[in-house]
Amino acid sequence: MRTISKKLNKEEIEAFGKEVDSLREEVMSKVGKEDADHIRFIYKTYRYTEVLGRGLIHFSFEPISFVAGTLLLSISKIINNMELGHNVLHGQYDWMNDPKFNSRTFEWDIVCNAHQWKFYHNYMHHTYTNVLNKDHDYGYNFTRLTEAQKWKPVHLTQPFTNMFLAMNFQWGIGAHGYRVEYLETPKKLRKKKTLKDYKAVFFKKIEVQMLKDYILFPALAGLNFPKVILGNLLANLIRNLWTYAVIFCGHFTENAESFTTEEIAGETKAQWYLRQLKGSSNLDGSNLFYTMTGHLSHQIEHHMFPDMPAKRYREVAPRLKEICAKYGQHYNTGSFVKQFGSVWKRIIAYSFPDHIANKVMGKRKKYLEPSIVLSQPSFQVSLPTEEKSVSLT
Amino acid sequence: MKTFPFIYNQPKEFLNFLQPKEWADFFLGELNPRFSVTTTKAKVIDIREETADAKTFVLKPNWLWKGFLSGQHVPVTVEIAGRRVTRFYSLSSHPNDKYLQITVKRQKGGLVSNFLNQNTKKGDILEIGEASGEFVLSKELPKELLFLAGGSGITPIHSILRDLQALNYSGKATLLYFVRSVDDIILKSSIDLIEKNNQWLTVHYILSDVPKEGYTSGFLTKEILDQYVPNLKSTSVYVCGPSPMQTKALSLLEGLPVKSELFLLPGQNLTNVKKEGTVDVYLSLSHKTIQVKGERSILDELEEQGIYPQSGCRMGICHTCVCKKQAGAVTDLSNGEKSQLGEENIQICVSRAESNLELEL
Ligand code: FES
């Protein structure tokens, strides 16, 4: 695998893992009231934006309040899916012992069933991050993102299929769920019926979602129902585009690496940390932006510590970055525009056969020793020049 | 099987999915933190100091409160450092009182009892649950009654005494209240008042640690029993107190109708087990395997490793922590019985891992 990080030997990897572990321990020991207050605030925001959004859509007579209502509803759905749902389902708030924020009881506003999602995301994706054929999220089975995947003519269509997926992302996620569950059932146990059962779970969730957004709430608006249907459709669309963008930036940017099953055989925890680092990429932005991405802007931290309350990633990030710099590991981050651009560069490049793809992607930079070595004592830099000759020579 | 127009869901399931109760709870809670449609909550309207380390909390519950019988206890849930923790406390008030009352004595190392004594202020909201418990008077009142209370074990008995008063009890009742020193007597003025107003009641305070003139001192023994209740034959006995006293009482009173309520601190019911090596616990919903020692309850050992399953009382009463064990054997800490190997529901707060386990968590 091509990499722009320094190759580490065994001891270095283990030392790296130790530092990451102690960082985790330190931050986890601080988890408490502050985090509980945060998630309750998020929950409140989700409830209020939904009520306000739906209210405005219902009682709007002119386009401005309709647009405002639709936007509020989109925000509500985004918060529900990202900062609330995604994080709660990771068990980040299980310690609160509150059924509202418990990964066992939580269900979210999206056609994907939470239980199925937990299997393919929490377990499959987070354990086998970016491992081809094991991480079913890698390209979602139809996007070719590395030369390790064999090119087929059908890949030429992937820019279009991806645009389609972006608009219907929740459906992609939902349909992905039962398929992964089926594919991961041992061959001997797989029967036609098991597939049907898995599918029924998905359909069950679709039904309640559809009834809610496209029958119940429109019906409540009486003759005004087309407006409510439109508002809900738009809100779902906006949420879909946003989550697609954020999630694709997490693992498919230019410098995010992929792995093979042979590479990860017998992996230690430290090696696992390293793989999470190499396979993930971050987004820079403001605190509001972080919250709206459900802190998936901190994909690297999230992948190393999936069950740490997400807001903590903000304080973890700079320190993890330091550790990475110390070990010469590339810490993949950039602005949303830059990262999303590079995702699309990759989607388009690998839709073509290798010789074209490689040309578009260019050679990956080699690892370069940083010009300032961080571990050197700082007085060498900060001492005034006259004294330097006296004290050091 | 399916009702039109719902193909996959029953209309009821759909309604549940819409979370009408959660919505109502949320907005009611925004109006007034005591309001709810799902949770019994109570506002602390008064706090009285009983002794140096015990306080009485007077509570005003919301409309979900269903009442209680004298002698019963309620689960009280508080939030400590962001985390909800539940413990059971006996109600020391009488069912006819306008407000509820619990009396909480600080226990050494007790998380909730200390929190309540230290941090709870007037106006705070406590989450409570439904009252329960068998430590109540029987329908037909016995002619003779003996109450043995130890420390904070007086609280349910206090409520029962008030009940007897309300019922115009005409028999004979004796209360032996074992307590460390005079200063540790909880609810003293109230008990003295009941004694003064009622012919049928005699109260003896027995000091176990710091003797004082005018008071008997000692522990529960046959002599003390003989001294105060010589005619034990036809007496119904209620015992409530710490476990050493409990055990003693049960052995002294063999053959008599005894009702007892044991106050346990979480973790007290554990037999001291020391084990070598570890066993694997596979958590099938979160796809994690962790190693535990099998020395303490599964709940404790999981929490130690940063995994927090749902839990409540942590002493086997509330069933919040019930989880399906798919394979493996556990020991029930409350009675020391070893379970079957197969699938069954267990309470992880009172089960200790005996072999490798597979849990639906
Ligand atoms: S926590 Fe209450 S029964 Fe286990």
Side-chain angles (χ1 to χ4, degrees):
Chain A
M1 180 73 222
R2 298 185 306 180
T3 179
I4 53 174
S5 295
K6 182 180 173 185
K7 270 235 171 309
L8 300 179
N9 63 30
K10 246 193 179 150
E11 288 77 48
E12 285 169 322
I13 294 178
E14 292 310 311
F16 171 82
K18 270 228 178 74
E19 292 202 32
V20 174
D21 260 336
S22 65
L23 176 58
R24 176 195 159 89
E25 238 159 72
E26 191 198 315
V27 176
M28 285 306 265
S29 69
K30 284 191 267 180
V31 169
K33 174 132 193 330
E34 205 185 307
D35 304 82
D37 285 344
H38 170 71
I39 201 66
R40 277 191 292 242
F41 170 74
I42 292 296
Y43 180 77
K44 210 165 161 170
T45 321
Y46 144 66
R47 292 284 191 207
Y48 273 116
T49 44
E50 178 162 7
V51 166
L52 277 178
R54 289 200 189 276
L56 278 173
I57 294 176
H58 272 241
F59 300 108
S60 60
F61 296 103
E62 20 68 40
I64 297 175
S65 53
F66 175 76
V67 170
T70 308
L71 282 179
L72 276 170
L73 186 57
S74 329
I75 291 172
S76 167
K77 282 180 183 263
I78 287 172
I79 293 176
N80 173 287
N81 288 180
M82 312 281 273
E83 184 67 3
L84 185 64
H86 173 263
N87 292 333
V88 165
L89 288 175
H90 264 289
Q92 291 175 3
Y93 299 95
D94 281 3
W95 56 272
M96 282 173 69
N97 195 18
D98 185 335
K100 273 209 294 292
F101 306 114
N102 197 289
S103 60
R104 287 168 70 203
T105 40
F106 193 87
E107 187 58 78
W108 49 359
D109 187 4
I110 178 175
V111 292
C112 178
N113 169 277
H115 189 81
Q116 285 187 336
W117 182 84
K118 277 202 310 202
F119 175 77
Y120 84 74
H121 181 89
N122 283 6
Y123 173 43
M124 294 307 294
H125 169 62
H126 273 270
T127 317
Y128 302 105
T129 315
N130 290 22
V131 176
L132 297 173
N133 297 328
K134 226 25 195 159
D135 178 0
H136 299 263
D137 283 19
Y138 201 77
Y140 293 91
N141 287 337
F142 67 85
T143 313
R144 179 175 179 258
L145 293 162
T146 154
E147 63 270 24
Q149 288 165 297
K150 210 170 150 318
W151 183 83
K152 288 185 221 134
V154 66
H155 287 129
L156 283 170
T157 62
Q158 74 184 24
F160 307 101
T161 45
N162 263 282
M163 274 189 250
F164 183 76
L165 175 68
M167 287 192 277
N168 300 290
F169 198 50
Q170 64 161 338
W171 297 93
I173 301 243
H176 194 53
Y178 77 84
R179 285 238 318 286
V180 174
E181 211 166 325
Y182 181 66
L183 290 174
E184 288 300 324
T185 323
K187 279 230 169 67
K188 267 185 266 157
L189 301 173
R190 268 190 233 169
K191 295 185 197 95
K192 263 213 198 97
K193 190 163 164 307
T194 49
L195 184 59
K196 234 175 105 196
D197 287 346
Y198 294 142
K199 231 193 235 165
V201 176
F202 173 42
F203 284 170
K204 218 174 155 167
K205 187 69 198 289
I206 299 177
E207 191 184 72
V208 283
Q209 282 293 87
M210 295 294 103
L211 273 169
K212 172 170 73 74
D213 279 353
Y214 301 115
I215 294 183
L216 178 75
F217 282 112
L220 289 176
L223 279 181
N224 253 338
F225 73 91
K227 206 180 57 183
V228 178
I229 293 187
L230 181 66
N232 284 339
L233 242 155
L234 287 174
N236 278 325
L237 176 69
I238 294 170
R239 184 265 318 268
N240 285 348
L241 290 171
W242 177 250
T243 43
Y244 171 89
V246 171
I247 288 165
F248 267 60
C249 285
H251 301 286
F252 310 148
T253 57
E254 220 172 322
N255 288 323
E257 303 173 16
S258 67
F259 309 86
T260 60
T261 30
E262 293 81 47
E263 275 173 292
I264 64 154
E267 199 178 47
T268 63
K269 185 77 187 281
Q271 287 171 320
W272 179 84
Y273 276 139
L274 211 52
R275 175 157 59 84
Q276 304 304 320
L277 171 71
K278 291 179 176 173
S280 313
S281 44
N282 278 12
L283 301 169
D284 299 329
S286 65
N287 282 350
L288 177 66
F289 172 79
Y290 293 156
T291 308
M292 291 308 283
T293 64
H295 287 87
L296 291 176
S297 51
H298 292 71
Q299 191 74 237
I300 297 174
E301 288 75 21
H302 174 57
H303 262 268
M304 288 194 172
F305 318 118
D307 55 356
M308 176 186 288
K311 199 174 157 228
R312 295 273 169 193
Y313 298 154
R314 295 185 200 166
E315 61 181 274
V316 172
R319 301 180 51 189
L320 187 62
K321 220 168 170 172
E322 255 171 49
I323 300 178
C324 292
K326 186 169 157 194
Y327 288 87
Q329 297 302 299
H330 177 65
Y331 183 93
N332 191 341
T333 185
S335 72
F336 179 57
V337 176
K338 179 192 149 218
Q339 297 286 59
F340 198 48
S342 82
V343 169
W344 274 87
K345 180 176 166 196
R346 204 164 159 180
I347 292 177
I348 295 169
Y350 284 108
S351 68
F352 296 108
D354 280 347
H355 59 281
I356 306 178
N358 287 338
K359 222 178 256 156
V360 179
M361 293 300 287
K363 274 249 148 45
R364 211 174 269 237
K365 282 180 259 128
K366 265 268 154 52
Y367 168 72
L368 297 171
E369 285 284 344
S371 43
I372 303 164
V373 180
L374 280 163
S375 55
Q376 262 171 18
S378 54
F379 65 80
Q380 290 193 340
V381 186
S382 62
L383 270 179
T385 31
E386 319 88 73
E387 270 181 50
K388 193 176 180 180
S389 55
V390 182
S391 60
L392 290 179
T393 51
Chain B
M1 106 196 139
K2 312 249 156 93
T3 331
F4 188 80
F6 299 83
I7 304 164
Y8 288 95
N9 291 281
Q10 301 285 343
K12 216 172 143 200
E13 281 177 278
F14 178 62
L15 270 185
N16 279 342
F17 170 77
L18 289 178
Q19 307 188 320
K21 284 192 176 153
E22 282 84 344
W23 279 100
D25 250 14
F26 175 72
F27 285 108
L28 285 173
E30 293 284 282
L31 285 178
N32 181 333
R34 195 168 54 91
F35 295 171
S36 168
V37 290
T38 56
T39 333
T40 320
K41 294 187 203 171
K43 186 172 171 173
V44 179
I45 56 169
D46 195 16
I47 300 178
R48 285 199 304 268
E49 234 157 280
E50 293 293 341
T51 64
D53 59 357
K55 281 184 183 167
T56 293
F57 300 86
V58 182
L59 307 174
K60 182 181 171 193
N62 65 10
W63 52 67
L64 291 177
W65 175 247
K66 291 207 197 77
F68 71 105
L69 299 173
S70 283
Q72 287 191 315
H73 47 236
V74 280
V76 176
T77 305
V78 289
E79 193 184 305
I80 303 175
R83 190 158 163 242
R84 294 169 75 257
V85 203
T86 308
R87 297 287 185 269
F88 281 78
Y89 293 104
S90 294
L91 290 148
S92 53
S93 55
H94 186 260
N96 293 344
D97 292 352
K98 188 156 170 224
Y99 298 122
L100 308 175
Q101 183 183 308
I102 55 172
T103 304
V104 181
K105 183 177 147 71
R106 299 168 83 132
Q107 307 288 345
K108 222 169 75 221
L111 189 61
V112 179
S113 64
N114 279 298
F115 179 86
L116 281 171
N117 271 278
Q118 250 162 34
N119 302 358
T120 306
K121 301 177 299 299
K122 250 193 220 178
D124 282 1
I125 304 290
L126 300 181
E127 209 181 299
I128 58 180
E130 253 177 64
S132 62
E134 300 297 310
F135 193 71
V136 292
L137 287 172
S138 46
K139 276 241 167 58
E140 221 169 283
L141 293 182
K143 284 228 174 48
E144 268 168 65
L145 278 165
L146 169 63
F147 296 101
L148 295 175
S152 54
I154 188 69
T155 52
I157 291 175
H158 175 259
S159 179
I160 293 178
L161 291 178
R162 299 255 334 260
D163 202 29
L164 288 171
Q165 182 177 21
L167 292 168
N168 278 326
Y169 179 61
S170 56
K172 206 137 193 47
T174 311
L175 165 64
L176 300 189
Y177 184 5
F178 293 84
V179 68
R180 293 212 335 261
S181 72
V182 181
D183 297 332
D184 287 316
I185 300 176
I186 298 175
L187 296 164
K188 182 162 193 302
S189 54
S190 178
I191 296 170
D192 289 346
L193 193 71
I194 306 175
E195 189 187 20
K196 209 175 107 205
N197 295 338
N198 295 285
Q199 290 298 312
W200 47 263
L201 180 65
T202 352
V203 179
H204 302 282
Y205 298 110
I206 300 161
L207 309 181
S208 52
D209 281 18
V210 190
K212 191 170 175 180
E213 224 173 293
Y215 289 91
T216 322
S217 47
F219 290 93
L220 176 62
T221 53
K222 185 148 192 325
E223 288 72 55
I224 285 199
L225 264 189
D226 288 343
Q227 182 183 343
Y228 292 114
V229 256
N231 234 330
L232 258 175
K233 285 218 182 58
S234 51
T235 312
S236 291
V237 191
Y238 286 78
V239 191
C240 186
S243 73
M245 166 189 162
Q246 198 93 215
T247 326
K248 184 85 202 185
L250 291 182
S251 73
L252 287 176
L253 299 166
E254 250 189 72
L256 290 177
V258 178
K259 268 199 188 173
S260 73
E261 177 131 287
L262 185 56
F263 271 97
L264 276 182
L265 287 178
Q268 234 180 36
N269 50 352
L270 311 182
T271 38
N272 248 337
V273 189
K274 279 267 165 286
K275 290 221 164 170
E276 280 184 20
T278 58
V279 297
D280 286 346
V281 178
Y282 173 63
L283 309 175
S284 67
L285 290 185
S286 35
H287 311 282
K288 269 187 201 149
T289 304
I290 58 159
Q291 275 83 37
V292 303
K293 287 202 146 156
E295 285 176 352
R296 292 177 303 132
S297 77
I298 299 173
L299 182 63
D300 279 349
E301 296 194 315
L302 287 181
E303 285 185 348
E304 211 164 70
Q305 312 213 17
I307 298 169
Y308 295 94
Q310 297 249 45
S311 71
C313 64
R314 309 173 74 88
M315 53 202 260
I317 326 180
C318 69
H319 288 254
T320 313
C321 67
V322 170
C323 119
K324 194 196 252 168
K325 162 177 77 71
Q326 281 139 333
V330 295
T331 296
D332 186 335
L333 290 169
S334 58
N335 56 17
E337 256 167 48
K338 205 167 148 180
S339 76
Q340 300 292 308
L341 276 169
E343 219 178 86
E344 63 190 332
N345 286 324
I346 58 165
Q347 288 163 285
I348 55 174
C349 70
V350 285
S351 303
R352 186 161 52 73
E354 217 37 93
S355 67
N356 286 354
L357 293 178
E358 196 176 324
L359 299 178
E360 205 167 78
L361 265 179

